[in-house]
Amino acid sequence: MLDFPVWKRVLIWGLCVAGLLFAAPNLFYSRVETHNDAVQAIERTGTATPELEAEAGGWPSFLPSGLVNLGLDLRGGAHLLAEVHVTDVYADRMDNLWPEVRNALRAERDAIGTIRRQDGAPDELRIRVSRPENIQQAVQAVADLSSPIVSLTGVGARDFEVTSEGADIVVRLSEAEMTASDDRTMRQSLEIIRRRVDEAGTREPTIQRQGEDRILIQVPGIGSAQELKDLIGTTARLTFNEVTGRTTDEHQPVQPGEALLASMNEPGTFYAVDTAPVVSGEDLTDAQPSFDQNGRPAVSFRFNPGGARRFGDYTAEHIGEPFAIVLDDEVISAPVIQSHIAGGSGIITGNFSVEESTQLAVLLRAGALPAEMTFLEERTIGPELGADSIRAGALACAVAFVAVLAFMLASYGLFGIFANIALIINIGLIFGLLSLIGATLTLPGIAGIVLTIGMAVDANVLIFERIKEELKTARGPARAIELGYEKALSAIADANITTLITAGILYFMGSGPVKGFAITLGIGIITSVFTAIYVTRLIVLAWFARKRPKTLEV
Amino acid sequence: MRLRLVPQETNWDFFRFTKVFFAFSGAAMIASVLMFFAMGLNFGIDFRGGTTIRTESVEPVDVGAYRDAIAPLGLGDVSITEVFDPSFDADQHVSQIRIEAQGEGDASVAQQVIADVEAALQGVDPSITFPSVESVGPKVSGELVVEAVIAVTLAIAAVLVYIWLRFEWQFAAGAVLSLVHDVTLTIGIFALLQIKFDLAIIAALLTIVGYSLNDTVVVFDRVRENLKKYKKRPLKEVLNLSINETLSRTTMTSFTTLIALFALFALGGDVIRGFVFAMIWGIFVGTYSSIYVASAILLKLGVKRDWSKKNDGKGGTQFANIDA
């Protein structure tokens, strides 16, 4: 029983070597980081400048180059938790539906009389008909506009529901469509935030969905949460709307379904616009900074086929009338339609500087955020604080490490050395695993490692104490070692599984730094059990086979 | 000569003063609960919303001047504390400013408020910088409280089930009561000393749960083994024997863990000091409770003595009869 089969030995040492190999890049952190960045840059641009080549050559490419990511609290950066107002989209949908409904109801004019949109809850469309006795006909006409959707909840669901309340027809999105819409909104928001953050070229941002309607955004290396917010932009919705009036009076009353918006470039001027957009930013496929025929900076854009058709139809019908280009409830410009714009491309002119037109193009290209966001949590950590934390953490780790090594040596002599070798391998394995899975190291994570250093010896202590006890029953050292390992196993297993359970709960319940702690704690438990029951055992057995001692002192 | 924390062979009677220790633990738990309600916890912004701003300056921190500068902004309850740490340079002066959650709504504090505070402070001391600014909205903080309570409860429940499956219900009861004891005392000390209680402390609490349990389970594992070995000896003797046999391991592990934690406490910087303090406290309390609470309760509840028939084939008992 004292012998390990050769394959097992090879496997154990192989795992150790592999773990240490994966941990190695962390010793040369900045060098490997430069290498990784350079390799990435070469891949992205497809061209390799001599400097990039040199930087990439700083670390041999045949070695693993995975690094432990440093969390925000160690590297500095900004953290935002945003809640997306998914229900905003319902209101937009209703506004978009209105022209279509209006046309459908106008066709039924003989039966239902005149129609008028009423102010109601934002997520519903409320239309009063002058001849309520035929309201069912109106309901039917509007219902015919809805289209079937595929959903998990039921077959035959339509995208919106039409009911009648007295003389009003009320149109609302169906449950199934709301769920689908929420999901779409979230995915769109995530994608847009990702693109905007990527445009800024920051390193390894974390952008992930949390729960139903939240998005977590963590960007290392950015100056402040405010900067990150500016980058994301809170709404940035672009729409093209019909202009119904122009005024300098901020408080001028407007018709239902219209809004008074300030002009961006003409202070004191306000435009009354129809809130139902003709085309919106979602229909844009491209936007580029360019110049108009007078050489002034402008932004040229292109619509997708659907948007192009609607824009084309609209411009054909409204030649000579102004329309508004609205960004975030501000009118960028309100040009007069000169001719039928077919083909779905156009140009936005305003009093832009070159920089502004570039910025606007980026914003448009990235797409508008479909809904507004509230920031529930904002954190900024300066890089100096992070650097201080790393220094303090590293020092604490080193001191803890040396103290524990010395203590083990003093307590167990030769066996203490065996345990210490295992402990060193253990630390290596933790970093190797962290690098391999690309985990993020946080300040509590460092505490987790320090705690693991303290606790990692536990399994060895259990075994050594057990061997000591078994030696008392005097069956010879070989038998004592064997029994020591065997009998300690159940205590080791129970003790570590319970700790692993709490680490698991921490991981699934916790967020941010707590999660980082749970990861290092969990990995630490696994590697320390592995090193204690396999690595020290191999070392002890190798030593025993060579020395064949008659007595044993543990 | 080897270093020994406890003598090689001990034969101490751990249950001689059970009543005294029960009374002591009970009193400490009641005191903790009272303290929690009387003084409350010094919740960080994670749990009650608001903003913390960390300042760093070359000039010494003048709390009064900072307060006077911020007061005109009318931000309600503002707390300013100077932070000391041996790792700071001589001209590095740090303070922590906490502003309560502003107004209604779910959002975190407006950037305008933060900018105003920063400007006001820069008026007092132009050299001041702000290494970290964190802001949590009341909606999130409310959820974090709920999540934290769920996490701790879930951890304890999971452990209860695991020990129940691996041992007997009496063991599970002992272990869980000792965990409740540890968590209560830790919350009590945080209320008493008014140390900031934030998300990281929840992580520490759960680690304490894990650690204390680790200790308890090692003792229990030996109890189970000895119960099989000495079928006729009274439970009290078996428990005493088991604790004595595992005592050197208990002290060794606690000691090595404490070495590591003290290193972190002294050198790890002020940001995680509260967290490390919770752990150190937890190690002491956990080690104590695994003997004087968990095992003592086991003694009170009594256990099924005949282990040889049932449980065959279950993981922990497979080495049961080697020596029997």
Side-chain angles (χ1 to χ4, degrees):
Chain A
M1 257 306 281
L2 268 183
D3 254 349
F4 267 106
V6 174
W7 69 267
K8 227 174 183 177
R9 268 185 232 204
V10 172
L11 183 69
I12 292 165
W13 287 126
L15 279 176
C16 289
V17 171
L20 295 180
L21 213 57
F22 279 110
N26 293 297
L27 287 176
F28 309 94
Y29 203 95
S30 55
R31 207 156 105 193
V32 180
E33 194 167 46
T34 329
H35 160 84
N36 288 352
D37 288 350
V39 169
Q40 225 181 7
I42 292 171
E43 267 175 21
R44 200 176 44 228
T45 56
T47 51
T49 62
E51 296 101 65
L52 284 177
E53 289 281 13
E55 282 178 358
W59 182 254
S61 57
F62 58 87
L63 285 177
S65 57
L67 286 171
V68 174
N69 292 324
L70 295 179
L72 279 191
D73 53 351
L74 295 178
R75 194 194 276 276
H79 161 118
L80 289 177
L81 181 66
E83 187 169 66
V84 181
H85 298 193
V86 285
T87 50
D88 279 7
V89 177
Y90 305 162
D92 284 358
R93 290 285 297 275
M94 288 298 125
D95 283 343
N96 285 333
L97 198 59
W98 169 233
E100 222 179 318
V101 170
R102 189 173 49 197
N103 293 339
L105 290 178
R106 274 178 186 162
E108 307 283 328
R109 201 175 208 138
D110 297 340
I112 59 173
T114 55
I115 52 164
R116 196 176 177 82
R117 183 172 178 188
Q118 305 289 307
D119 279 328
D123 58 349
E124 64 181 27
L125 192 58
R126 195 172 271 274
I127 306 142
R128 180 151 301 168
V129 296
S130 63
R131 292 175 61 191
E133 61 273 16
N134 288 332
I135 198 159
Q136 283 316 318
Q137 198 175 335
V139 167
Q140 192 50 49
V142 179
D144 285 344
L145 295 172
S146 70
S147 41
I149 55 164
V150 183
S151 78
L152 295 173
T153 45
V155 188
R158 315 286 293 182
D159 56 357
F160 58 84
E161 286 160 356
V162 190
T163 51
S164 61
E165 286 176 19
D168 291 352
I169 305 171
V170 181
V171 185
R172 282 193 197 90
L173 289 183
S174 65
E175 279 303 319
E177 178 61 16
M178 282 185 192
T179 316
S181 159
D182 290 356
D183 197 54
R184 240 183 349 253
T185 308
M186 287 305 289
R187 266 188 284 166
Q188 231 172 345
S189 302
L190 270 174
E191 185 51 34
I192 288 161
I193 292 172
R194 185 167 297 133
R195 268 192 277 173
R196 288 191 188 164
V197 173
D198 281 350
E199 293 254 7
T202 53
R203 184 201 311 278
E204 288 155 21
T206 306
I207 297 158
Q208 51 184 322
R209 184 169 174 180
Q210 282 205 330
E212 286 286 297
D213 56 356
R214 292 192 184 159
I215 298 176
L216 174 75
I217 309 148
Q218 290 187 323
V219 182
I222 199 166
S224 74
Q226 184 58 48
E227 235 172 88
L228 180 55
K229 270 159 82 174
D230 291 346
L231 187 66
I232 295 167
T234 39
T235 49
R237 289 166 37 83
L238 180 87
T239 52
F240 293 76
N241 302 57
E242 185 179 342
V243 173
T244 54
R246 184 168 183 272
T247 173
T248 51
D249 176 13
E250 186 175 353
H251 301 291
Q252 180 175 305
V254 289
Q255 304 281 319
E258 290 180 6
L260 202 60
L261 302 178
S263 165
M264 191 184 261
N265 297 315
E266 307 154 84
T269 306
F270 296 86
Y271 289 93
V273 300
D274 190 335
T275 50
V278 179
V279 200
S280 67
E282 285 108 74
D283 294 314
L284 277 179
T285 52
D286 193 24
Q288 293 294 338
S290 63
F291 297 92
D292 66 5
Q293 61 268 49
N294 299 324
R296 288 177 308 180
V299 177
S300 63
F301 60 86
R302 179 178 298 280
F303 287 122
N304 63 18
R309 186 171 44 76
R310 264 176 290 150
F311 193 60
D313 292 350
Y314 179 81
T315 51
E317 286 167 24
H318 294 82
I319 292 174
E321 292 172 28
F323 77 103
I325 301 170
V326 181
L327 183 72
D328 285 348
D329 286 342
E330 245 186 328
V331 178
I332 299 179
S333 67
V336 172
I337 299 164
Q338 306 291 353
S339 60
H340 170 214
I341 305 176
S345 62
I347 188 163
I348 305 172
T349 54
N351 284 323
F352 297 131
S353 66
V354 174
E355 211 168 284
E356 279 165 352
S357 71
T358 311
Q359 176 74 30
L360 182 60
V362 167
L363 223 53
L364 295 183
R365 204 163 52 235
L369 283 169
E372 213 176 306
M373 296 192 295
T374 310
F375 293 99
L376 304 176
E377 212 180 299
E378 303 172 23
R379 296 174 198 263
T380 308
I381 290 113
E384 326 81 43
L385 186 61
D388 285 351
S389 296
I390 293 181
R391 245 194 324 275
L395 181 65
C397 266
V399 170
F401 196 54
V402 171
V404 170
L405 291 184
F407 179 67
M408 285 300 282
L409 180 66
S411 301
Y412 293 109
L414 185 63
F415 275 68
I417 295 178
F418 297 157
N420 287 342
I421 295 172
L423 183 56
I424 294 167
I425 292 177
N426 187 15
I427 299 290
L429 288 181
I430 291 177
F431 275 96
L433 271 176
L434 286 176
S435 313
L436 195 62
I437 62 174
T440 301
L441 189 67
T442 57
L443 191 52
I446 292 182
I449 291 177
V450 174
L451 187 71
T452 314
I453 295 176
M455 285 174 68
V457 293
D458 181 54
N460 279 312
V461 169
L462 272 167
I463 294 164
F464 294 168
E465 293 292 331
R466 195 73 207 215
I467 293 176
K468 232 187 252 180
E469 282 175 49
E470 297 303 326
L471 278 172
K472 283 182 231 159
T473 54
R475 286 209 192 103
R479 182 89 181 122
I481 292 174
E482 196 184 321
L483 281 178
Y485 273 97
E486 269 182 17
K487 290 199 170 176
L489 196 63
S490 105
I492 294 175
D494 279 337
N496 286 289
I497 287 171
T498 44
T499 316
L500 206 56
I501 290 175
T502 50
I505 288 172
L506 268 182
Y507 181 78
F508 288 110
M509 293 296 304
S511 58
V514 176
K515 215 167 206 161
F517 174 75
I519 292 174
T520 50
L521 187 66
I523 287 180
I525 292 166
I526 294 167
T527 56
S528 68
V529 169
F530 170 76
T531 50
I533 61 182
Y534 290 116
V535 178
T536 51
R537 195 170 185 174
L538 270 188
I539 300 174
V540 169
L541 292 185
W543 165 80
F544 193 82
R546 186 180 294 253
K547 289 274 159 95
R548 289 272 156 211
K550 289 279 172 288
T551 57
L552 199 62
E553 200 199 348
V554 179
Chain B
M1 211 28 230
R2 297 286 162 78
L3 179 68
R4 290 255 145 259
L5 294 172
V6 291
Q8 182 84 51
E9 294 279 336
T10 54
N11 195 14
W12 298 335
D13 184 1
F14 286 98
F15 297 109
R16 224 169 116 195
F17 302 109
T18 307
K19 284 204 178 102
V20 178
F21 284 114
F22 267 160
F24 175 73
S25 289
M29 282 174 78
I30 291 168
S32 297
V33 172
L34 287 180
M35 222 115 62
F36 173 72
F37 284 110
M39 305 175 67
L41 287 171
N42 177 13
F43 283 118
I45 53 160
D46 290 340
F47 292 130
R48 68 170 186 198
T51 300
T52 55
I53 300 174
R54 188 181 167 96
T55 70
E56 203 175 302
S57 56
V58 180
E59 299 295 317
V61 172
D62 184 344
V63 173
Y66 286 9
R67 192 176 295 283
D68 293 344
I70 296 173
L73 298 172
L75 299 174
D77 184 22
V78 176
S79 87
I80 303 172
T81 42
E82 187 167 3
V83 179
F84 300 97
D85 194 90
S87 68
F88 291 162
D89 298 332
D91 59 350
Q92 190 178 11
H93 300 278
V94 176
S95 81
Q96 192 88 30
I97 298 171
R98 191 166 67 195
I99 304 163
E100 65 180 3
Q102 302 289 314
E104 303 293 307
D106 308 330
S108 53
V109 171
Q111 288 294 328
Q112 190 53 46
V113 173
I114 294 169
D116 288 347
V117 172
E118 291 188 352
L121 291 173
Q122 252 147 0
V124 176
D125 180 354
S127 77
I128 208 162
T129 56
F130 307 97
S132 89
V133 178
E134 307 189 40
S135 187
V136 178
K139 184 170 186 178
V140 174
S141 63
E143 289 170 3
L144 289 176
V145 173
V146 175
E147 271 172 29
V149 172
I150 293 177
V152 175
T153 319
L154 211 62
I156 293 183
V159 158
L160 182 78
V161 171
Y162 181 79
I163 297 194
W164 193 354
L165 290 178
R166 289 283 288 159
F167 297 87
E168 285 291 311
W169 71 266
Q170 295 93 337
F171 288 83
V176 163
L177 277 174
S178 83
L179 291 185
V180 172
H181 169 264
D182 300 342
V183 171
T184 314
L185 288 198
T186 307
I187 290 175
I189 194 94
F190 271 78
L192 178 68
L193 301 178
Q194 290 290 302
I195 304 170
K196 191 168 85 180
F197 195 92
D198 55 18
L199 260 187
I201 305 299
I202 296 296
L205 270 181
L206 284 176
T207 318
I208 294 169
V209 167
Y211 183 87
S212 164
L213 200 68
N214 189 321
D215 239 21
T216 310
V217 166
V218 169
V219 176
F220 280 3
D221 186 77
R222 187 57 69 99
V223 172
R224 180 171 59 185
E225 189 184 322
N226 282 336
L227 280 173
K228 279 175 234 153
K229 211 152 135 190
Y230 309 107
K231 294 203 168 71
K232 296 282 173 276
R233 284 171 80 169
L235 181 60
K236 189 174 168 184
E237 265 178 50
V238 176
L239 282 176
N240 246 330
L241 176 73
S242 307
I243 296 173
N244 275 299
E245 279 179 353
T246 51
L247 192 63
S248 80
R249 173 266 160 194
T250 306
T251 47
M252 277 295 291
T253 301
S254 297
F255 197 77
T256 48
T257 311
L258 282 176
I259 292 178
L261 285 175
F262 273 113
L264 205 57
F265 187 77
L267 305 167
D270 67 288
V271 181
I272 51 169
R273 185 149 298 142
F275 174 77
V276 178
F277 172 79
M279 302 268 231
I280 291 176
W281 173 260
I283 303 287
F284 279 112
V285 176
T287 309
Y288 159 83
S289 74
S290 61
I291 294 173
Y292 289 105
V293 179
S295 302
I297 284 171
L298 193 57
L299 181 61
K300 288 271 174 252
L301 291 174
V303 287
K304 184 187 71 161
R305 295 304 300 269
D306 188 9
W307 282 78
S308 45
K309 284 176 193 150
K310 212 190 141 198
N311 274 351
D312 262 344
K314 279 201 183 175
T317 56
Q318 57 186 321
F319 310 118
N321 296 319
I322 290 174
D323 277 352

